[in-house]
Amino acid sequence: MILSPFEWTIAKRYMLPGKGERFIALVAGISLVAVALGVAALVIVMSVMNGFRAELFDKIVNLNGHAIIQAYGGRLDDWERVLKDVRATKGVVRASPLIDQPLLVTFNGRTEGIQLRGHTAEDIARIQDKVKVGSLAEIKPGAENVAIGNQLAQNLGAQVGDVITVINPLGRATPFGTVPRQIGYRVAAIFEIGVYDYDNAFVMMPIKDAQTLLLTGDAIGTIEVTTNDPDNVGRILAPLSRQLEGRAIVTDWKTINASLFEALAVERVAMFVVLSIIVLVAVFNILSSLIMLVRAKTRDIAILRTMGATRRSLLKVFVTAGFCIGAMGTVLGLLLGFVFLYFRQPIVHLVEIVTGQNLWDPSIRFLTELPARSDPVEIVSICGMALVFSFLATLYPAYRAASTDPVQVLRYE
């Protein structure tokens, strides 16, 4: 819709009402702010939801892979052959043996439940960038060194160099019953994955040391698998599932974390719908301000008609005036949203200080920090929705203005 200089001049004049029309200007300003807040809220919430899902997925997959193969009974005696078959499967980019067992740990009279993770040296090295204190280089088979999560270290009061005692309740059988197996391990490194459940429970050691602690010999119970397409991991590993039927079960990340990611998907849709209503309410303000503007400018519109202004020109003038309010509100909302996302963590801390409440408890939110990841397609969709709503809100007032009969208006002038 191209405007002539005359149409653009009138549109600009109507976007800035005169002194006698301050109330109309106030309503238009409120409309602009409302659209900006609605767009900003959508950008912020959708980016945080996307970031939350992406961060959870990245951190979970980084430690657990896209799927795990778990042996029935917890023992996969011929795991070397199975591992070779897994690595030869088309679409599999990495497969590693893994020992994953819930146990207990004690230190200085404190006892905590842990998740023991026995990894290969290559898999342990993958968390090098997550290490806060200590060195992973000291974690070698037979050295009896381990790496523990940051939150677990705080709960135990343990530091690098301390010796913690890991307890295996299923120890050796004696004439007096089963004696739990207890082995002391030196803390060589403390890591922070960023997922509370992991940082609160994980103890990592070489797979040989884990086999010794659990008395499993050379057997393992789990194989961790990473594919080149996480969304189609079920199809990629379907041949393996049939091959291992009756001996082991293949479980992908979608099944393991189904309830969590389904809840996030439902919440994401619900938040988008609810926040879209805010934008819809904002454009009703544009509708109201334009209706008041048309009523206030009825005489001016009639005079313009008598001077040769066409209905089409008046339609374009009022559509432009209302659409520009929506467009400016959308741009302002985008800027406001991106500023909030950039400073999101300091803003959360500021609100916590002001309210005295812990807004981001990692034990509830899973992640240690508020994440954000903007999707360009979603941002464009949000802007498009706001602009379409703004355009639709201008049609009725613009039609009323274009339908003004100058004869009826100016009859008694």
Side-chain angles (χ1 to χ4, degrees):
M1 184 173 65
I2 302 175
L3 273 69
S4 66
F6 159 72
E7 293 166 345
W8 180 241
T9 300
I10 300 300
K12 286 192 296 182
R13 172 66 183 83
Y14 285 173
M15 281 188 287
L16 299 172
K19 294 182 180 180
E21 301 154 353
R22 289 178 180 174
F23 182 73
I24 298 175
L26 176 62
V27 174
I30 292 174
S31 304
L32 187 149
V33 172
V35 171
L37 292 177
V39 170
L42 269 172
V43 170
I44 293 167
V45 171
M46 299 310 296
S47 296
V48 168
M49 295 294 292
N50 289 337
F52 197 85
R53 184 187 185 281
E55 285 292 312
L56 272 179
F57 178 79
D58 291 344
K59 294 178 185 298
I60 288 173
V61 167
N62 187 50
L63 283 178
N64 299 325
H66 296 152
I68 57 174
I69 300 173
Q70 293 177 303
Y72 292 122
R75 291 178 65 93
L76 193 62
D77 294 315
D78 59 341
W79 63 270
E80 291 94 342
R81 185 179 64 80
V82 175
L83 182 63
K84 184 178 179 181
D85 292 341
V86 174
R87 288 173 174 170
T89 301
K90 184 178 180 180
V92 173
V93 297
R94 187 177 61 83
S96 303
L98 170 68
I99 290 179
D100 190 7
Q101 183 70 32
L103 296 176
L104 295 173
V105 65
T106 64
F107 178 74
N108 280 350
R110 297 181 181 180
T111 303
E112 294 284 341
I114 64 168
Q115 198 71 23
L116 178 72
R117 306 273 292 194
H119 287 286
T120 62
E122 293 79 7
D123 289 337
I124 292 176
R126 286 166 56 204
I127 65 165
Q128 179 62 51
D129 60 331
K130 308 296 183 182
V131 174
K132 297 189 67 177
V133 185
S135 172
L136 295 177
E138 301 179 25
I139 303 177
K140 300 176 181 178
E144 296 189 343
N145 290 331
V146 296
I148 67 175
N150 179 59
Q151 190 61 44
L152 178 61
Q154 293 182 22
N155 294 343
L156 293 172
Q159 300 178 354
V160 170
D162 292 335
V163 176
I164 60 175
T165 302
V166 180
I167 303 173
N168 176 16
L170 301 178
R172 296 186 181 277
T174 70
F176 303 100
T178 301
V179 177
R181 183 172 176 80
Q182 304 183 39
I183 299 180
Y185 294 94
R186 176 179 171 273
V187 177
I190 296 175
F191 59 83
E192 184 175 21
I193 301 298
V195 178
Y196 179 84
D197 288 354
Y198 294 171
D199 296 333
N200 188 52
F202 276 15
V203 173
M204 295 187 181
M205 63 174 61
I207 198 167
K208 289 292 185 183
D209 289 358
Q211 290 171 331
T212 301
L213 172 63
L214 298 174
L215 302 173
T216 58
D218 291 332
I220 65 167
T222 305
I223 294 177
E224 177 187 79
V225 183
T226 303
T227 65
N228 57 8
D229 186 359
D231 291 326
N232 293 313
V233 62
R235 178 183 57 79
I236 293 172
L237 299 181
L240 276 175
S241 298
R242 293 190 292 268
Q243 181 181 338
L244 297 172
E245 188 173 357
R247 299 168 52 207
I249 183 172
V250 179
T251 309
D252 61 34
W253 66 272
K254 297 179 182 178
T255 303
I256 297 172
N257 306 284
S259 58
L260 175 60
F261 284 101
E262 285 177 6
L264 286 175
V266 171
E267 185 177 357
R268 183 168 172 271
V269 173
M271 293 301 293
F272 183 86
V273 172
V274 171
L275 292 174
S276 297
I277 295 175
I278 298 177
V279 179
L280 188 59
V281 171
V283 299
F284 272 107
N285 286 334
I286 297 177
L287 175 64
S288 301
S289 65
L290 282 180
I291 289 175
M292 288 188 292
L293 182 63
V294 170
R295 290 181 65 86
K297 297 294 184 181
T298 300
R299 184 172 177 275
D300 293 357
I301 294 169
I303 293 174
L304 289 173
R305 288 295 311 280
T306 60
M307 294 174 63
T310 64
R311 293 177 183 270
R312 181 180 177 84
S313 292
L314 291 174
L315 189 70
K316 290 162 66 175
V317 164
F318 283 93
V319 167
T320 300
F323 184 77
C324 285
I325 294 174
M328 289 187 291
T330 300
V331 173
L332 181 61
L334 280 178
L335 294 175
L336 183 62
F338 287 134
V339 169
F340 185 95
L341 290 174
Y342 185 81
F343 296 102
R344 63 187 182 278
Q345 208 58 42
I347 291 174
V348 170
H349 292 323
L350 176 62
V351 175
E352 288 178 339
I353 293 172
V354 172
T355 62
Q357 300 294 322
N358 185 4
L359 300 181
W360 195 259
D361 186 353
S363 63
I364 299 175
R365 311 291 186 182
F366 295 100
L367 302 179
T368 54
E369 290 187 352
L370 179 65
R373 184 173 297 185
S374 298
D375 182 354
V377 175
E378 274 190 354
I379 299 298
V380 171
S381 299
I382 292 170
C383 294
M385 180 189 68
L387 293 175
V388 168
F389 283 173
S390 300
F391 173 76
L392 294 177
T394 66
L395 295 181
Y396 175 73
Y399 171 76
R400 294 290 297 175
S403 302
T404 300
D405 185 355
V407 175
Q408 295 295 329
V409 174
L410 300 176
R411 173 177 295 177
Y412 302 105
E413 291 292 332

